[in-house]
Amino acid sequence: MQNRSRREALRACTARLQSAGVVEAAGDARFLLLGILGLETRDLLIEGERRVSADEAAALDAALARRLAGEPVARILGAWEFWGLPFRLGPDTLVPRPDTEILVEVALAAAPDRTAPVRCLDLGTGTGCILTALLSELPRASGVGLDRSEGALRVARDNAVANGVGDRARFVVGDWCEALSGTFDLVVSNPPYIARDVIATLDREVRMHDPAAALDGGVDGLDAYRRILDGAAGLLAPGGRLVLEIGYDQASAVRALACAAGFPDRGLTRDLAGRDRVVSFDRPQGLLSGHRDA
């Protein structure tokens, strides 16, 4: 890429990715160039003829080689955007995906008074993107992010601080609901939901670079939902809402599990592609509120 202008470097990156059969070649090339060179889109527009330095060219060539080897752009950059906010990634975290923003939308709709002191719980928090997004929209809310991975929690904590909500977020090591007490107005989760035998068939960007523990939902993909539904009832405050992301073909199974556990069904929400994406439930009736605060 040396001795090229920024625009020329972008065209060269796009051409190399296209020749390798990368489906989103133009978008990937733009993300890589902007991220590796530390540019904003306006920089490319205003100073597109500025020459790429030798160090910049070397860094861009190295990033391009990683993408051609199948590594996702987000992993190469070490960060990705979610809900308009930047999130650092780690080896124990998934890349935040746009479909998960539907879960945030559904959760926020369950808290119509955005000035209320809502208490949120994010099970399997990963990067902390869901909890951080909720706290960014609910200025008096507080929340707990739980994950089995200490590495993921370090990333989540840093992301909460970087996005200005660190003073209202706590992070706890635990296995789903077992490490928790207290009650929450919103319990949300994007748990592992890929059936174990399916993981080997996923795109190489996923199966080779996403942490297996964040994908593996057990033999039928429903293990995490069983665990969550087994413990979430006692963590929901009166009037509380449980909001879960699901796989495209799991709505009926998860809703049946929730019904059997006594959770009133609040409906299904589809993503922009029309696929089943989020299910939500009310707190089971007849529970006593005897938990101490977390």
Side-chain angles (χ1 to χ4, degrees):
M1 299 298 164
Q2 196 169 352
N3 297 322
R4 287 186 168 99
S5 71
R6 290 169 172 174
R7 290 196 183 99
E8 290 170 340
L10 178 59
R11 288 193 291 269
C13 287
T14 301
R16 287 180 63 182
L17 292 173
Q18 286 175 335
S19 66
V22 176
V23 175
E24 301 291 341
D28 286 1
R30 178 176 288 271
F31 278 124
L32 285 175
L33 185 133
L34 294 178
I36 295 299
L37 302 189
L39 304 177
E40 301 288 342
T41 299
R42 64 175 179 271
D43 298 322
L44 193 57
L45 294 172
I46 296 171
E47 296 185 320
E49 296 308 312
R50 182 171 176 175
R51 293 290 164 181
V52 174
S53 71
D55 288 345
E56 290 173 333
L60 192 54
D61 283 334
L64 191 59
R66 291 169 65 181
R67 183 68 191 101
L68 290 169
E71 190 171 352
V73 171
R75 295 288 179 194
I76 296 168
L77 299 178
W80 205 239
E81 184 177 289
F82 179 86
W83 203 256
L85 304 170
F87 288 89
R88 184 171 68 84
L89 308 179
D92 298 321
T93 70
L94 292 175
V95 177
R97 289 172 168 81
D99 289 340
T100 301
E101 293 187 354
I102 304 297
L103 185 151
V104 176
E105 292 174 1
V106 173
L108 288 173
D113 181 2
R114 296 202 177 185
T115 64
V118 177
R119 297 196 61 184
C120 308
L121 169 62
D122 180 14
L123 296 169
T125 195
T127 61
C129 65
I130 296 171
L131 179 61
T132 296
L134 289 172
L135 296 184
S136 76
E137 296 287 347
L138 303 168
R140 295 184 61 206
S142 60
V144 174
L146 178 140
D147 205 286
R148 291 176 293 184
S149 166
E150 293 186 12
L153 291 173
R154 285 192 291 270
V155 172
R157 186 179 295 109
D158 289 347
N159 283 328
V161 171
N163 284 295
V165 300
D167 60 333
R168 294 186 283 126
R170 293 194 300 116
F171 296 93
V172 178
V173 176
D175 192 11
W176 301 117
C177 303
E178 292 180 1
L180 296 165
S181 61
T183 56
F184 301 87
D185 305 295
L186 283 175
V187 177
V188 299
S189 184
N190 176 21
Y193 56 70
I194 308 298
R196 189 166 295 149
D197 289 346
V198 174
I199 293 175
T201 71
L202 299 175
D203 291 343
R204 65 175 180 170
E205 284 85 353
V206 175
R207 71 175 186 270
M208 295 178 64
H209 297 281
D210 280 345
L215 299 173
D216 189 346
V219 174
D220 61 359
L222 301 173
D223 281 1
Y225 299 109
R226 294 187 181 95
R227 296 287 303 281
I228 292 169
L229 291 166
D230 184 54
L235 295 171
L236 282 167
R241 185 73 52 83
L242 172 64
V243 185
L244 303 172
E245 181 168 339
I246 57 171
Y248 72 95
D249 59 351
Q250 293 177 319
S252 295
V254 175
R255 294 170 98 177
L257 290 171
C259 179
F263 288 84
D265 195 322
R266 292 291 297 191
L268 166 70
T269 305
R270 295 183 171 89
D271 60 25
L272 295 178
R275 295 182 295 260
D276 295 348
R277 182 58 56 188
V278 173
V279 288
S280 56
F281 307 96
D282 282 338
R283 177 180 184 266
Q285 299 178 358
L287 293 180
L288 296 176
S289 299
H291 290 281
R292 60 184 173 84
D293 285 343

XYZ file of all heavy atoms in Angstrom, residues 54-128:
552
model
N 4.822 4.797 5.239
C 5.379 3.441 5.218
C 4.826 2.604 6.375
O 4.475 1.429 6.193
C 6.901 3.499 5.270
N 4.756 3.194 7.568
C 4.234 2.464 8.727
C 2.750 2.146 8.547
O 2.292 1.043 8.890
C 4.430 3.276 10.007
C 5.889 3.322 10.445
O 6.685 2.501 9.941
O 6.221 4.178 11.283
N 1.999 3.108 8.019
C 0.574 2.869 7.777
C 0.371 1.775 6.740
O -0.501 0.920 6.886
C -0.094 4.163 7.320
C -0.224 5.222 8.412
C -0.744 6.535 7.884
O -0.529 6.823 6.679
O -1.359 7.287 8.667
N 1.188 1.803 5.697
C 1.082 0.787 4.643
C 1.370 -0.604 5.196
O 0.674 -1.573 4.868
C 2.041 1.120 3.505
N 2.388 -0.710 6.049
C 2.737 -2.009 6.631
C 1.608 -2.524 7.518
O 1.260 -3.713 7.478
C 4.035 -1.889 7.421
N 1.038 -1.635 8.320
C -0.063 -2.039 9.202
C -1.287 -2.458 8.393
O -1.971 -3.436 8.724
C -0.412 -0.892 10.148
N -1.552 -1.724 7.320
C -2.707 -2.050 6.480
C -2.499 -3.369 5.746
O -3.420 -4.187 5.641
C -2.955 -0.906 5.498
C -4.279 -0.912 4.733
C -5.462 -0.999 5.681
C -4.382 0.333 3.863
N -1.297 -3.599 5.251
C -0.998 -4.866 4.582
C -1.157 -6.045 5.546
O -1.684 -7.099 5.178
C 0.423 -4.847 4.023
C 0.539 -4.039 2.737
O -0.478 -3.910 2.025
O 1.638 -3.533 2.441
N -0.702 -5.870 6.788
C -0.816 -6.942 7.778
C -2.284 -7.225 8.103
O -2.695 -8.390 8.230
C -0.055 -6.569 9.046
N -3.081 -6.168 8.240
C -4.504 -6.339 8.524
C -5.210 -7.018 7.355
O -6.065 -7.890 7.551
C -5.144 -4.992 8.815
N -4.833 -6.643 6.153
C -5.450 -7.228 4.968
C -5.123 -8.725 4.875
O -5.993 -9.535 4.527
C -4.974 -6.492 3.726
C -5.710 -6.780 2.417
C -7.189 -6.446 2.550
C -5.085 -5.988 1.280
N -3.893 -9.077 5.200
C -3.505 -10.493 5.183
C -4.336 -11.292 6.191
O -4.742 -12.429 5.909
C -2.016 -10.627 5.490
N -4.590 -10.721 7.349
C -5.420 -11.411 8.347
C -6.852 -11.582 7.843
O -7.460 -12.641 8.042
C -5.397 -10.635 9.661
C -4.052 -10.659 10.364
C -3.978 -9.677 11.525
N -4.897 -10.029 12.604
C -5.032 -9.299 13.719
N -4.307 -8.188 13.879
N -5.871 -9.673 14.664
N -7.371 -10.567 7.181
C -8.739 -10.690 6.649
C -8.790 -11.736 5.550
O -9.745 -12.531 5.474
C -9.221 -9.338 6.104
C -10.665 -9.376 5.608
C -11.620 -9.563 6.748
N -12.985 -9.863 6.321
C -13.527 -11.069 6.320
N -12.825 -12.121 6.734
N -14.762 -11.251 5.932
N -7.788 -11.782 4.687
C -7.750 -12.773 3.615
C -7.617 -14.188 4.175
O -8.030 -15.151 3.526
C -6.592 -12.464 2.666
C -6.773 -11.202 1.814
C -5.473 -10.838 1.115
C -7.897 -11.396 0.790
N -7.070 -14.307 5.376
C -6.952 -15.617 6.027
C -8.233 -16.011 6.755
O -8.291 -17.086 7.358
C -5.786 -15.604 7.004
N -9.250 -15.147 6.721
C -10.543 -15.486 7.293
C -10.864 -14.851 8.622
O -11.923 -15.115 9.197
N -9.984 -13.998 9.142
C -10.266 -13.356 10.425
C -11.250 -12.208 10.226
O -11.088 -11.401 9.318
C -8.969 -12.839 11.043
C -9.119 -12.372 12.476
C -7.790 -12.069 13.141
O -6.731 -12.360 12.546
O -7.825 -11.545 14.275
N -12.277 -12.105 11.050
C -13.260 -11.030 10.888
C -12.648 -9.650 11.118
O -11.699 -9.499 11.895
C -14.310 -11.334 11.960
C -14.103 -12.766 12.312
C -12.645 -13.032 12.130
N -13.209 -8.666 10.465
C -12.712 -7.291 10.591
C -12.720 -6.846 12.046
O -11.767 -6.223 12.520
C -13.566 -6.338 9.729
C -13.200 -4.886 10.014
C -13.376 -6.651 8.247
N -13.794 -7.138 12.764
C -13.890 -6.689 14.157
C -12.762 -7.260 15.007
O -12.218 -6.574 15.876
C -15.245 -7.088 14.750
N -12.397 -8.514 14.773
C -11.299 -9.127 15.526
C -9.969 -8.468 15.176
O -9.105 -8.280 16.038
C -11.229 -10.625 15.237
C -12.420 -11.414 15.701
C -12.448 -11.544 17.205
N -13.632 -12.285 17.645
C -14.038 -12.322 18.895
N -13.385 -11.675 19.833
N -15.113 -13.006 19.231
N -9.793 -8.134 13.922
C -8.553 -7.482 13.497
C -8.420 -6.109 14.163
O -7.350 -5.741 14.657
C -8.521 -7.337 11.970
C -8.505 -8.727 11.310
C -7.299 -6.527 11.515
C -8.765 -8.703 9.817
N -9.518 -5.379 14.200
C -9.494 -4.039 14.793
C -9.534 -4.085 16.311
O -9.131 -3.129 16.975
C -10.671 -3.216 14.267
C -10.711 -2.974 12.757
C -11.953 -2.177 12.382
C -9.454 -2.247 12.292
N -10.051 -5.175 16.885
C -10.135 -5.306 18.334
C -11.245 -4.501 18.962
O -11.294 -4.349 20.191
N -12.174 -4.019 18.147
C -13.278 -3.205 18.658
C -14.387 -3.201 17.615
O -14.152 -3.440 16.433
C -12.819 -1.782 18.949
N -15.596 -2.906 18.085
C -16.729 -2.830 17.169
C -17.791 -1.918 17.764
O -17.784 -1.648 18.962
C -17.302 -4.216 16.904
C -18.021 -4.343 15.588
C -19.327 -4.699 15.393
C -17.467 -4.166 14.286
N -19.609 -4.747 14.050
C -18.487 -4.423 13.343
C -16.191 -3.813 13.828
C -18.287 -4.322 11.966
C -15.988 -3.725 12.450
C -17.020 -3.979 11.536
N -18.690 -1.432 16.921
C -19.730 -0.512 17.373
C -21.030 -1.263 17.625
O -21.381 -2.191 16.904
C -19.955 0.578 16.329
C -20.954 1.640 16.748
C -21.113 2.743 15.720
O -20.177 3.552 15.566
O -22.181 2.787 15.067
N -21.731 -0.837 18.673
C -23.044 -1.385 19.007
C -23.869 -0.271 19.624
O -23.376 0.436 20.525
C -22.892 -2.550 19.992
C -24.194 -3.176 20.427
C -24.788 -4.169 19.671
C -24.823 -2.769 21.603
C -25.988 -4.759 20.074
C -26.022 -3.344 22.007
C -26.605 -4.348 21.237
N -25.089 -0.090 19.163
C -25.978 0.965 19.682
C -25.314 2.346 19.569
O -25.514 3.223 20.391
C -26.371 0.664 21.125
C -27.641 1.326 21.567
C -27.761 2.430 22.375
C -28.990 0.940 21.226
N -29.078 2.750 22.557
C -29.859 1.857 21.870
C -29.528 -0.080 20.456
C -31.253 1.757 21.757
C -30.910 -0.165 20.346
C -31.747 0.748 20.994
N -24.474 2.511 18.548
C -23.792 3.787 18.351
C -22.646 4.031 19.305
O -22.095 5.143 19.344
N -22.252 3.010 20.069
C -21.187 3.137 21.062
C -20.026 2.210 20.693
O -20.238 1.131 20.144
C -21.709 2.766 22.456
C -22.928 3.530 22.964
C -23.472 2.882 24.234
C -22.569 4.993 23.212
N -18.795 2.588 21.031
C -17.649 1.732 20.731
C -17.426 0.697 21.833
O -17.529 1.005 23.021
C -16.484 2.720 20.677
C -16.873 3.800 21.650
C -18.380 3.920 21.558
N -17.087 -0.524 21.416
C -16.830 -1.592 22.382
C -15.546 -2.326 22.017
O -15.389 -2.798 20.895
C -17.999 -2.588 22.430
C -19.215 -2.021 23.097
C -20.167 -1.333 22.363
C -19.378 -2.131 24.467
C -21.274 -0.775 22.983
C -20.481 -1.578 25.098
C -21.435 -0.901 24.360
N -14.660 -2.394 22.996
C -13.448 -3.196 22.823
C -13.803 -4.666 22.932
O -14.702 -5.057 23.684
C -12.420 -2.807 23.898
C -11.090 -3.508 23.758
C -10.060 -2.918 24.697
N -10.351 -3.187 26.105
C -10.010 -4.322 26.727
N -9.403 -5.298 26.070
N -10.281 -4.474 28.013
N -13.096 -5.504 22.185
C -13.324 -6.940 22.195
C -12.205 -7.641 22.944
O -11.150 -7.063 23.195
C -13.393 -7.486 20.775
C -14.353 -6.803 19.809
C -14.269 -7.456 18.437
C -15.774 -6.838 20.335
N -12.443 -8.899 23.271
C -11.421 -9.745 23.872
C -11.607 -11.161 23.382
O -12.637 -11.496 22.770
N -10.658 -12.029 23.634
C -10.781 -13.413 23.171
C -11.944 -14.168 23.791
O -12.390 -15.183 23.237
C -9.432 -14.039 23.562
C -8.870 -13.142 24.618
C -9.365 -11.775 24.303
N -12.470 -13.701 24.925
C -13.580 -14.386 25.594
C -14.935 -13.767 25.272
O -15.941 -14.139 25.882
C -13.373 -14.355 27.110
C -12.116 -15.074 27.547
O -11.816 -16.127 26.950
O -11.428 -14.589 28.458
N -14.962 -12.810 24.334
C -16.212 -12.123 24.033
C -16.617 -12.342 22.579
O -15.770 -12.478 21.700
C -16.106 -10.606 24.271
O -15.247 -10.016 23.284
C -15.572 -10.301 25.662
N -17.918 -12.351 22.348
C -18.431 -12.313 20.990
C -18.311 -10.900 20.431
O -18.200 -9.925 21.180
C -19.905 -12.725 20.964
C -20.250 -14.177 21.283
C -21.767 -14.349 21.315
C -19.621 -15.132 20.280
N -18.364 -10.795 19.119
C -18.468 -9.488 18.467
C -19.924 -9.036 18.576
O -20.834 -9.778 18.194
C -18.064 -9.579 16.982
C -18.248 -8.227 16.304
C -16.625 -10.057 16.854
N -20.199 -7.856 19.115
C -21.592 -7.388 19.168
C -22.191 -7.340 17.763
O -21.554 -6.858 16.826
C -21.475 -5.979 19.762
C -20.179 -5.990 20.502
C -19.263 -6.881 19.709
N -23.406 -7.839 17.627
C -24.046 -7.918 16.320
C -25.283 -7.023 16.269
O -25.989 -6.866 17.265
C -24.420 -9.371 16.018
C -23.194 -10.241 15.732
C -23.555 -11.717 15.631
N -22.447 -12.502 15.088
C -21.394 -12.923 15.791
N -21.298 -12.612 17.078
N -20.438 -13.632 15.215
N -25.560 -6.450 15.100
C -26.715 -5.550 14.989
C -28.025 -6.183 15.418
O -28.889 -5.496 15.976
C -26.726 -5.191 13.491
C -25.317 -5.370 13.043
C -24.781 -6.519 13.849
N -28.200 -7.487 15.171
C -29.457 -8.135 15.552
C -29.737 -8.016 17.045
O -30.900 -7.973 17.471
C -29.422 -9.615 15.179
C -29.503 -9.840 13.672
O -29.963 -8.926 12.968
O -29.108 -10.930 13.214
N -28.679 -7.963 17.850
C -28.863 -7.886 19.296
C -29.408 -6.534 19.725
O -29.934 -6.396 20.836
C -27.538 -8.216 20.001
O -27.124 -9.537 19.603
C -27.666 -8.203 21.512
N -29.316 -5.529 18.862
C -29.922 -4.241 19.193
C -31.436 -4.367 19.338
O -32.066 -3.555 20.028
C -29.544 -3.201 18.146
C -28.048 -2.869 18.154
C -27.675 -1.713 17.248
O -28.561 -1.219 16.505
O -26.502 -1.298 17.280
N -32.035 -5.379 18.694
C -33.472 -5.617 18.868
C -33.775 -5.929 20.325
O -34.784 -5.485 20.879
C -33.933 -6.778 17.967
C -33.580 -6.509 16.492
C -35.425 -7.027 18.132
C -34.264 -5.314 15.901
N -32.905 -6.691 20.980
C -33.098 -7.007 22.395
C -33.093 -5.727 23.237
O -33.920 -5.563 24.139
C -32.006 -7.968 22.863
C -32.106 -8.523 24.293
C -31.455 -9.895 24.369
C -31.436 -7.600 25.299
N -32.177 -4.823 22.937
C -32.121 -3.548 23.666
C -33.418 -2.769 23.456
O -33.986 -2.204 24.403
C -30.900 -2.725 23.226
C -30.893 -1.356 23.912
C -29.611 -3.475 23.537
N -33.909 -2.733 22.229
C -35.151 -2.011 21.936
C -36.321 -2.597 22.729
O -37.140 -1.846 23.293
C -35.446 -2.079 20.440
C -34.454 -1.308 19.572
C -34.702 -1.523 18.098
O -35.663 -2.255 17.747
O -33.940 -0.979 17.281
N -36.416 -3.917 22.767
C -37.523 -4.556 23.493
C -37.408 -4.281 24.992
O -38.405 -4.001 25.667
C -37.536 -6.074 23.204
C -38.568 -6.782 24.087
C -37.848 -6.331 21.738
N -36.194 -4.348 25.517
C -36.002 -4.076 26.945
C -36.358 -2.635 27.283
O -37.002 -2.371 28.309
C -34.559 -4.381 27.335
N -35.953 -1.710 26.455
C -36.271 -0.300 26.716
C -37.780 -0.050 26.647
O -38.317 0.769 27.397
C -35.552 0.597 25.711
C -34.040 0.724 25.898
C -33.421 1.494 24.738
C -33.705 1.415 27.222
N -38.469 -0.756 25.756
C -39.919 -0.603 25.669
C -40.617 -1.075 26.936
O -41.732 -0.637 27.243
C -40.454 -1.375 24.463
N -39.941 -1.959 27.686
C -40.502 -2.437 28.954
C -40.254 -1.456 30.088
O -40.733 -1.672 31.210
C -39.904 -3.801 29.303
N -39.489 -0.399 29.828
C -39.207 0.633 30.836
C -39.638 1.978 30.271
O -38.797 2.810 29.891
C -37.717 0.647 31.180
N -40.949 2.220 30.181
C -41.440 3.431 29.514
C -41.000 4.727 30.164
O -40.866 5.744 29.492
C -42.964 3.270 29.550
C -43.222 2.299 30.661
C -42.048 1.379 30.679
N -40.762 4.707 31.482
C -40.262 5.896 32.161
C -38.743 5.808 32.222
O -38.172 5.141 33.089
C -40.836 5.994 33.575
C -40.346 7.241 34.312
O -39.601 8.044 33.702
O -40.704 7.400 35.497
N -38.097 6.471 31.295
C -36.640 6.345 31.194
C -35.899 7.125 32.277
O -34.683 7.048 32.376
C -36.165 6.778 29.809
C -36.701 5.877 28.710
C -35.870 5.932 27.463
N -36.365 5.017 26.445
C -35.764 4.795 25.285
N -34.640 5.426 25.000
N -36.279 3.955 24.418
N -36.633 7.858 33.087
C -35.990 8.566 34.198
C -36.100 7.777 35.500
O -35.604 8.221 36.532
C -36.621 9.950 34.398
O -38.000 9.806 34.776
C -36.539 10.773 33.113
N -36.738 6.616 35.462
C -36.912 5.813 36.676
C -35.599 5.110 37.041
O -34.763 4.839 36.182
C -38.017 4.781 36.461
N -35.411 4.792 38.324
C -34.190 4.096 38.774
C -34.277 2.592 38.507
O -34.320 1.769 39.431
C -34.142 4.413 40.268
C -35.573 4.587 40.653
C -36.258 5.226 39.461
N -34.297 2.240 37.250
C -34.460 0.847 36.839
C -33.217 0.035 37.222
O -32.083 0.505 37.074
C -34.685 0.771 35.313
C -34.787 -0.671 34.845
C -35.932 1.558 34.926
N -33.441 -1.183 37.698
C -32.332 -2.097 37.997
C -32.272 -3.168 36.912
O -33.255 -3.861 36.662
C -32.512 -2.744 39.370
C -32.482 -1.732 40.518
C -32.277 -2.445 41.840
N -30.988 -3.166 41.842
C -30.591 -3.935 42.853
N -31.358 -4.101 43.913
N -29.425 -4.540 42.797
N -31.109 -3.306 36.288
C -30.933 -4.196 35.144
C -29.946 -5.311 35.481
O -28.970 -5.092 36.208
C -30.386 -3.428 33.933
S -31.313 -1.950 33.480
N -30.197 -6.468 34.920
C -29.283 -7.606 35.043
C -29.051 -8.175 33.657
O -30.002 -8.508 32.945
C -29.885 -8.671 35.956
C -29.177 -10.031 35.997
C -27.751 -9.894 36.516
C -29.972 -11.024 36.841
N -27.777 -8.300 33.279
C -27.401 -8.845 31.978
C -26.653 -10.160 32.210
O -25.530 -10.161 32.719
C -26.519 -7.839 31.238
C -26.083 -8.316 29.861
O -26.661 -9.284 29.355
O -25.157 -7.695 29.295
N -27.283 -11.264 31.849
C -26.718 -12.594 32.073
C -25.885 -13.025 30.866
O -26.390 -13.070 29.745
C -27.840 -13.605 32.311
C -28.679 -13.365 33.577
C -29.924 -14.247 33.562
C -27.852 -13.620 34.829
N -24.620 -13.356 31.112
C -23.702 -13.660 30.014
C -23.299 -12.393 29.295
O -23.394 -12.287 28.077
N -22.790 -11.425 30.035
C -22.654 -10.060 29.530
C -21.618 -9.898 28.425
O -21.722 -8.985 27.610
C -22.370 -9.096 30.706
O -22.575 -7.755 30.296
C -20.943 -9.274 31.225
N -20.593 -10.737 28.365
C -19.601 -10.626 27.296
C -18.899 -9.282 27.298
O -18.283 -8.888 28.293
N -19.014 -8.541 26.215
C -18.417 -7.202 26.129
C -19.127 -6.186 27.012
O -18.644 -5.065 27.166
C -18.468 -6.663 24.689
O -19.847 -6.574 24.276
C -17.684 -7.525 23.729
N -20.289 -6.555 27.552
C -21.096 -5.595 28.297
C -21.925 -4.706 27.411
O -22.506 -3.722 27.881
